[in-house]
Amino acid sequence: MAAGKERKYFLIGGKGGVGKTSLAASLAVKFANNGHPTLIVSTDPAHSLSDSLAVDVTGGKPVLVEGTDLPLAAIELDPEEAREEFRSFAEANDTAQGVQDFLGSVGLAGIYDSLVDLKLGELLDTPPPGLDEAVAISKVVQFTKEEKYKKYTRIVFDTAPTGHTLRLLALPDFLDKSIGKVVKLRQKILGATSAIKGLFGAQEADQDQAVQKLEELKERVIQVRDLFRDSSQTEFIIATIPTVMAANESKRLLEELRLEGVPCRRIVINQLLPPVDEENSVIPKEAMQQLSNMDAEYGTHLQAYARFCDSKRKDQLRALHLMKEDAQGLQTLKQVEAPLFDLEIRGVPALRFFGDQVW
């Protein structure tokens, strides 16, 4: 992963609550300590990257994080800003309302019903799912082309939970169809008669600009999709935990990634308990009896704690077995195991230790 000096992108994604941010931050620290100026970007609305690094990286601008051999910069992007940007554009360019108002003014209001299936109002009034993260990622890709950011050879994305990722992957096709309908409808109507040039608003020039903005938006999203699919630059790493629910969601995520042509070669199984010692048990039976005797003598609850760990480990083993059974899916990935730590992983020193155990 650290080989080569050309720029590479790594996206950490998966179910919510599996430790994506800690894994992404530890990978970024690992890169910065192994020859790569690194930028880590969070597009997760949960905004936990600042907490993980113990540094305030909010504000939409890269912030230098101290404690690594080479520069490490971090940034938390607010996807809500992309939604607001889209809503503002929609309010200024109410295409669907322009269609309805014009047809009504010339006695053809009934025709509007036949255009409802174009869903132009929905396109402009409500940002499509995944748009927020796509715009955020595209902004990062754009500013990393600037001279002062060209030094970063590793860019790590801490992405939003699985559902956001899947909607993001489907977004370019949605925009292509929706914007295509806007442009096609506009061309047909304007070609019919110059009398209805104001159909899409007060001025044709304004609406030409509106369509152009939509086209630019589509191109930005397509750039993100193409970057995701470029196996020479990009790798998507699935983060999960050893539970049946997480294993099933990871399986579905991998299927969607492959369907969209997104390269994925690794899965990190986080929060694993220590290895099994005897018959799938963390603690041998003899030791359990000794703990029972100590509880009786000292009034402790050591055996109860041991039984909890024993039960939890067996539950994890069921999930691991489920992953191994997915011969055509998860089993084809390189499985990286990340242990469950007894302390919170927070700050660069802790992330460095964590990363050395995982990556």
Side-chain angles (χ1 to χ4, degrees), residues 1-5 26-38 68-72 153-154 352 355-356 359:
M1 296 169 73
K5 291 298 182 181
S26 68
L27 179 59
V29 170
K30 184 79 171 182
F31 282 142
N33 286 324
N34 285 271
H36 291 284
T38 302
T68 56
D69 296 341
L70 288 178
L72 171 62
T153 55
R154 291 294 180 271
R352 184 170 192 164
D356 288 341
W359 305 107

Side-chain angles (χ1 to χ4, degrees), residues 55 88 94:
V55 176
S88 298
D94 192 349

Side-chain angles (χ1 to χ4, degrees), residues 129-328:
L131 176 70
D132 47 5
E133 192 167 12
V135 171
I137 292 175
S138 71
K139 285 182 177 180
V140 173
V141 174
Q142 290 301 316
F143 78 64
T144 53
K145 295 178 181 179
E146 297 176 15
E147 190 63 35
K148 62 181 177 179
Y149 295 118
K150 286 184 178 180
K151 63 182 178 182
Y152 293 108
T153 55
R154 291 294 180 271
I155 300 178
V156 179
F157 286 97
D158 170 31
T159 70
T162 304
H164 291 255
T165 303
L166 297 182
R167 290 193 293 269
L168 171 62
L169 294 175
L171 182 60
D173 291 335
F174 170 83
L175 286 180
D176 190 36
K177 293 178 181 178
S178 299
I179 294 173
K181 289 176 181 177
V182 174
V183 176
K184 186 179 295 185
L185 177 62
R186 176 175 172 75
Q187 290 174 340
K188 284 184 177 179
I189 295 178
L190 292 183
T193 173
S194 59
I196 52 175
K197 285 185 178 180
L199 179 60
F200 284 82
Q203 299 294 329
E204 180 181 354
D206 293 339
Q207 291 306 323
D208 283 339
Q209 185 178 16
V211 173
Q212 182 180 353
K213 286 183 177 180
L214 284 174
E215 289 283 6
E216 291 172 355
L217 172 63
K218 183 183 73 173
E219 289 303 316
R220 289 170 65 183
V221 173
I222 289 176
Q223 285 181 9
V224 172
R225 181 192 62 186
D226 292 343
L227 176 65
F228 279 14
R229 290 176 173 174
D230 187 349
S231 59
S232 67
Q233 293 189 82
T234 305
E235 179 180 347
F236 194 104
I237 301 173
I238 297 176
T240 190
I241 54 176
T243 68
V244 172
M245 288 181 62
N248 286 330
E249 184 161 328
S250 298
K251 180 180 177 180
R252 290 192 293 270
L253 174 57
L254 179 59
E255 291 172 351
E256 291 293 334
L257 291 173
R258 287 180 171 173
L259 186 64
E260 293 292 337
V262 178
C264 179
R265 295 182 283 274
R266 292 176 178 84
I267 180 171
V268 181
I269 306 170
N270 196 20
Q271 302 177 14
L272 277 168
L273 286 171
V276 176
D277 289 331
E278 179 182 303
E279 296 180 356
N280 295 343
S281 177
V282 174
I283 301 177
K285 295 178 181 178
E286 295 79 3
M288 292 289 282
Q289 184 58 50
Q290 292 177 6
L291 291 176
S292 179
N293 295 338
M294 293 175 67
D295 286 344
E297 183 175 355
Y298 300 106
T300 57
H301 303 281
L302 298 176
Q303 188 185 53
Y305 295 145
R307 289 190 183 281
F308 172 82
C309 292
D310 181 58
S311 176
K312 190 68 176 176
R313 177 60 185 179
K314 289 178 179 177
D315 189 51
Q316 291 190 350
L317 285 170
R318 282 191 287 272
L320 292 173
H321 181 69
L322 181 63
M323 294 181 194
K324 290 181 179 179
E325 285 185 331
D326 186 19
Q328 302 301 316

